[in-house]
Amino acid sequence: MYLVADIDVDICAATSCKLCTQYCPEANTILYDDNAGKEKGLKYGAAYVAVDRCKGCAQCVWVCDNMAKHHAITMVMIDQLPKAAITDRITYLDQGGTKALAAPVEVA
Amino acid sequence: MSLDYVKFSPGFDKFMPKEYRDMVEHGPFGKKTTVSQMGSFKEILEEHPMCAGCAMTLFIRLAMISFPNPEDTITVGTAGCGRLAISQAAIPFVYGNYGDQNAVASGLSRGLKLRFGDIPKDVVVMAGDGGMADIGFSMTLHSWFRKERFTTIMLDNEVYGNTGGQESGMTNKGQVLKMAPLGKKFEKMDMIGMAKLAGCAYVATVVPNNPRRVESVIKKAVLIAREIGPTYIQAYTSCNIEYSIPTDKVLEDAKSVETDRYAFSEYVSDEAKEYLATRYGFKEYLPKPAAALPKA
């Protein structure tokens, strides 16, 4: 098993810093869903991780803890994730933004 | 070299992989994309085999987003870590023999000028410190002296990371590495000074812990290289393997190195300033209004 980043939607959707999307070294890995938080009645969207692209370097954790100071990202064993987004289920919207269609998806 | 080369032939789109369809339909081609939109469009860079947490990857990712016209850009590289990621992007990549990337780019940019005339076609060289400052040194410097119009970006990880940790010309004095156990005996080469001496119109040092700054530096360098002259960017992209930096401390290291020896610096020639202001409306380079005369 290996570690992947997991972003807490409740904390992330209370802010709109998007720093982790800019500091991830992997392309198309941390994506932003503009509606993720609004469905829960929160102010903003939330970032999420395409776990099949994540290499587990934890740079986003450092950025979220030390630069943004939101502490929304943790490293989790991939089989311990209750829900996860994978590239094949992610759609890009015409007006910009992304939507993880079937995310949360069961990993197991 | 146009928007059409990425599009599907009619009827074939359903056979293409999802990543390719996303790139054509929601990629940055033909649009203005910025760093602040990251995460909401398909990037031209794809999955690549570079190490987890590599700062060079982060810089290359930011560079690919920052190109003013990705559909009219060709990247040129050489042996080294960087080419593993640069070659995985949806823009043409030319792989030169070790060290000859600036010579290849010289011919390429001249050929594109002949073929396309005033239509801007950008050539961007991205190579490591070994390929540029050691093995390709003569070709790099000569391309600057000849005033070849393309952008040169050095991905400076201060070591030969791909071959086990030998010292390069850009390694700092005294640095002990796996294949330099006694420490380097000479100073780090001053490529910034040489670039200015050789007549580059734009010279900058940058560290990828400020994405917006990386974006602005690359945009300016590519735009200036279209008409004014050679441009050079030196980017600190640490090697977390050879320098034993934990992957989650890579940006902390970048931050400390930025405050220590890699402070942001930018040199823009007067001609380039005028060009950016008049052609592309860069406000910071517009002539300042004459100061009001002091009251008598």
Side-chain angles (χ1 to χ4, degrees), chain A residues 21 30-33 92 97-98, chain B residues 35 37-41 43 61:
Chain A
T21 63
I30 301 187
L31 298 163
Y32 200 79
D33 183 349
Y92 291 83
T98 65
Chain B
V35 162
Q37 293 168 313
M38 281 165 85
S40 49
F41 63 91
E43 291 165 40
R61 181 180 174 223

Side-chain angles (χ1 to χ4, degrees), chain B residues 38-79:
Chain B
M38 281 165 85
S40 49
F41 63 91
K42 177 75 175 76
E43 291 165 40
I44 47 180
L45 189 61
E46 254 302 323
E47 280 183 282
H48 51 74
M50 287 178 76
C51 307
C54 177
M56 192 185 285
T57 326
L58 173 59
F59 181 83
I60 292 168
R61 181 180 174 223
L62 294 169
M64 293 285 175
I65 288 168
S66 312
F67 290 153
N69 292 48
E71 65 274 12
D72 292 322
T73 304
I74 294 183
T75 50
V76 184
T78 189

